[in-house]
Amino acid sequence: MKLWFNPASPFARKVRILARETGLAGRIEEVSVMVSPVKPHGDLARENPLVKIPALSTDLGTLYDSAVICEYLDSLHGGETLFPKSGAERWDALRLQALGDGILEAAVLMRYENAVRPQAFQWADWVTGQFGKVRGGLDALEKECAGWGDRFGIGQLTAACVLGYLDFRFPDEAWRKAHPMLEKWYAKIAERSSMKATTPQ
């Protein structure tokens, strides 16, 4: 298998963490590419018509979207799965993953706004709206993280990527001040070898 990724992408990091948590990393060739919303990458475009990362080349064809790739990889190993198979536990895990993905989508859009869009065309109210989504999502994670215990399923994995991305791209946001339970949880999770190996520089 071949994974198209960029080390700075939190969505690609989700896949890379899951691969390491499940013992699949050795079966995946990681191909780092530079991507831009305004300058499509030719090789990646041949793998993913959306020209987005992550994308995973497999014998079944190329899979894209981190949620799809993560669930596919989770089906390939014999250990404890990160995606519950059925019932209320599964729907709760998918909901938590969706919450984390939504926070990340808002954060990445803010990153593009600040780093790619010409300053004359940047929209401050739009950025404020995206920050509102991030902060609302963090508040929701704060309320429920005490109940996670030692569980590190797909929902918790995604939440970890959220916090890591905020530290990486938005350190001035200082999310820890208003979220002490998340701070305590993340301090422990950040010590996992899969997290350390995929920390963006």
Side-chain angles (χ1 to χ4, degrees), residues 54 63 73 112 117 141 162 186:
L63 302 176
L73 291 177
Y112 283 152
R117 189 182 299 277
L141 293 177
V162 165
Y186 186 65

Side-chain angles (χ1 to χ4, degrees), residues 25-45:
R27 295 171 56 182
I28 301 171
E29 175 189 357
E30 294 187 342
V31 180
S32 180
V33 295
M34 293 297 297
V35 292
S36 167
V38 295
K39 296 179 181 178
H41 188 285
D43 291 339
L44 179 59

Side-chain angles (χ1 to χ4, degrees), residues 55-141:
L56 182 71
S57 300
T58 76
D59 292 340
L60 302 176
T62 301
L63 302 176
Y64 27 89
D65 186 272
S66 63
V68 174
I69 295 171
C70 283
E71 188 152 14
Y72 171 74
L73 291 177
D74 202 35
S75 73
L76 300 182
H77 66 96
E80 182 179 357
T81 59
L82 280 76
F83 285 81
K85 297 299 184 183
S86 62
E89 187 180 5
R90 174 173 173 78
W91 295 115
D92 189 59
L94 294 181
R95 175 200 57 79
L96 184 55
Q97 178 184 216
L99 175 60
D101 282 348
I103 299 170
L104 287 175
E105 287 165 3
V108 169
L109 286 174
M110 288 189 298
R111 169 65 182 171
Y112 283 152
E113 183 77 6
N114 294 329
V116 179
R117 189 182 299 277
Q119 188 171 7
F121 298 105
Q122 292 180 14
W123 186 7
D125 288 347
W126 186 85
V127 171
T128 298
Q130 298 304 318
F131 261 121
K133 295 177 183 180
V134 170
R135 291 164 182 157
L138 289 174
D139 290 346
L141 293 177

